[in-house]
Amino acid sequence: MRAALALARRGLGRTAENPAVGALVVRDGAIVAQGWTQEGGRPHAERVALDAAGALARGSTMYVTLEPCSHHGRTPPCADAIVAAGVSRVVSAIEDPDARVAGRGHAILRDGGVEVTTNVCADEALRANLGHVLRVKEGRPMVTLKLAETLDGYAAGDEHDPRLSITSAPANARTHVLRAMHDAIMIGIGTAKADDPLMTVRAPGMEDRKPLRVVLDARLALSPRSRLAASARETPTLVLAGAAADSDCAKDLRATGVEIAPVALDALGRIDLKAALAALAARNITRVFSEGGPRIGAVLVAEGLADEVALFTAPKPQGRGVPALGEAARNILRDPSRYALVEDAMLGADRIRRYERVF
């Protein structure tokens, strides 16, 4: 099952709205075929693995990281295909919470004479399918919060200081891989104005990855001359703004290819993060990579919306500036009832600590 989960991760960031699933066909103790959900969500992992196995599927065991689908979409149900192929046993990691499946896939298999074993590596499978699960059950995508800080905890210099270049090449390469594993990259207008970022995947072999770029911009302050606007026709770019934002600014941004959508504001007149995430889920986004800076990061952590946190720490101090996270947010990350530290490693001279929200 862990090998199937590794296969599934190949599809992360490429399969929405469908989940990224992995499947292995095993016969006589040997893996005879494998598959993972293909770009755009079709074909499903099970179909790919069955096609690769051919006649060897009959009498085999299939390991699959999510319950096989039972509903008709653009393709017939995977559960029916597994029965038709003569698979003897299916080992499934977790049940699919989608109401169109929700146990029906397993029932079809059992009714078809297939032995079914469930809840194998279920915790790991839940993490792998978290974007799909949260979109179905809570109406929001999963969120990975990424922050880079100096040794003494600063994410940026003081006002009017030059932009900080905090992390080195190995950590930056890891960031691009993480971006590629998500459907959208999200920042706030403060980061957009201060850094004028591209928010693209720039890693060898991943040039085709173009996650949706999302800017939280209540008053439409993004410049039409920014790099985001200038490249909007090449890489999809969405600005989430308040309904009363300036219509002339909207017109100028739309002329560059930027899409603008209204969302609710919070009591301070800023984009309401829960509303923003719900809007992205409604667009079938399942995985969001937030590089929105300290304020957005603090809110995501405080409200339990940061499902993973990747904190990159450079070896040199800054001395002063804008803290990457306030003490309240850091205390939440240190609370074992809220977050678990799952990775603590070096990337060249930089340190990465990765946390997962406790369910």
Side-chain angles (χ1 to χ4, degrees):
M1 186 60 75
R2 290 195 173 100
L5 286 165
L7 284 174
R9 283 189 280 272
R10 297 187 183 191
L12 291 177
R14 309 195 77 164
T15 65
E17 65 189 274
N18 286 341
V21 177
L24 289 172
V25 178
V26 176
R27 182 167 173 169
D28 300 326
I31 296 172
V32 297
Q34 63 185 27
W36 59 92
T37 310
Q38 297 299 292
E39 187 165 358
R42 301 285 178 174
H44 288 181
E46 300 95 319
R47 182 74 268 172
V48 175
L50 289 174
D51 288 347
L56 292 175
R58 187 162 298 278
S60 69
T61 295
M62 174 178 282
Y63 292 81
V64 60
T65 61
L66 184 69
E67 177 184 7
C69 66
S70 58
H71 58 286
H72 285 267
R74 284 177 286 170
T75 56
C78 288
D80 288 343
I82 292 169
V83 172
V87 173
S88 295
R89 179 174 178 242
V90 168
V91 181
S92 171
I94 57 173
E95 184 176 291
D96 189 341
D98 190 324
R100 298 171 298 177
V101 186
R104 293 181 182 87
H106 291 151
I108 289 172
L109 294 174
R110 292 188 177 104
D111 290 346
V114 179
E115 179 187 349
V116 178
T117 302
T118 60
N119 295 318
V120 176
C121 298
D123 289 344
E124 294 170 57
L126 174 60
R127 294 288 177 184
N129 289 287
L130 189 56
H132 170 68
V133 171
L134 287 175
R135 189 178 73 86
V136 169
K137 297 180 71 172
E138 299 185 17
R140 73 167 179 91
M142 71 83 65
V143 177
T144 299
L145 169 64
K146 178 260 180 178
L147 292 166
E149 63 176 2
T150 59
L151 183 62
D152 48 358
Y154 294 107
D158 286 336
E159 189 177 4
H160 308 304
D161 282 352
R163 175 188 174 189
L164 291 182
S165 180
I166 296 175
T167 50
S168 58
N172 294 342
R174 177 72 175 272
T175 295
H176 284 286
V177 171
L178 288 172
R179 285 178 178 177
M181 296 171 71
H182 291 75
D183 309 322
I185 305 169
M186 182 176 75
I187 63 170
I189 185 58
T191 299
K193 292 175 71 174
D195 296 349
D196 194 22
L198 270 176
M199 291 165 58
T200 53
V201 177
R202 300 185 298 278
M206 295 185 178
E207 293 83 1
D208 61 330
R209 304 285 182 104
K210 293 188 177 183
L212 175 68
R213 303 181 299 186
V214 180
V215 182
L216 307 180
D217 184 7
R219 296 173 182 80
L220 283 183
L222 182 67
S223 170
R225 293 177 293 280
S226 65
R227 294 205 294 172
L228 286 169
S231 58
R233 298 196 186 281
E234 289 76 46
T235 304
T237 306
L238 171 67
V239 172
L240 297 179
D246 190 298
S247 59
D248 289 335
C249 293
K251 181 180 178 181
D252 292 342
L253 283 170
R254 287 193 176 104
T256 69
V258 170
E259 182 183 359
I260 300 170
V263 295
L265 304 182
D266 63 17
L268 298 175
R270 297 165 172 165
I271 296 294
D272 183 286
L273 283 176
K274 289 184 178 178
L277 293 176
L280 294 177
R283 291 168 173 261
N284 297 324
I285 297 294
T286 62
R287 294 172 56 84
V288 172
F289 190 63
S290 175
E291 297 186 78
R295 188 191 68 80
I296 290 176
V299 175
L300 289 172
V301 171
E303 296 192 6
L305 298 173
D307 303 296
E308 294 186 13
V309 178
L311 183 61
F312 294 83
T313 304
K316 293 183 179 180
Q318 167 71 7
R320 63 180 189 179
V322 180
L325 275 180
E327 196 58 28
R330 290 187 188 274
N331 285 338
I332 292 173
L333 286 182
R334 297 186 191 111
D335 182 349
S337 70
R338 305 280 296 273
Y339 282 91
L341 178 64
V342 296
E343 181 181 3
D344 189 347
M346 299 303 295
L347 296 169
D350 301 317
R351 181 183 184 187
I352 179 174
R353 280 165 290 177
R354 193 167 56 85
Y355 301 84
E356 290 180 344
R357 184 167 63 88
V358 174
F359 299 113

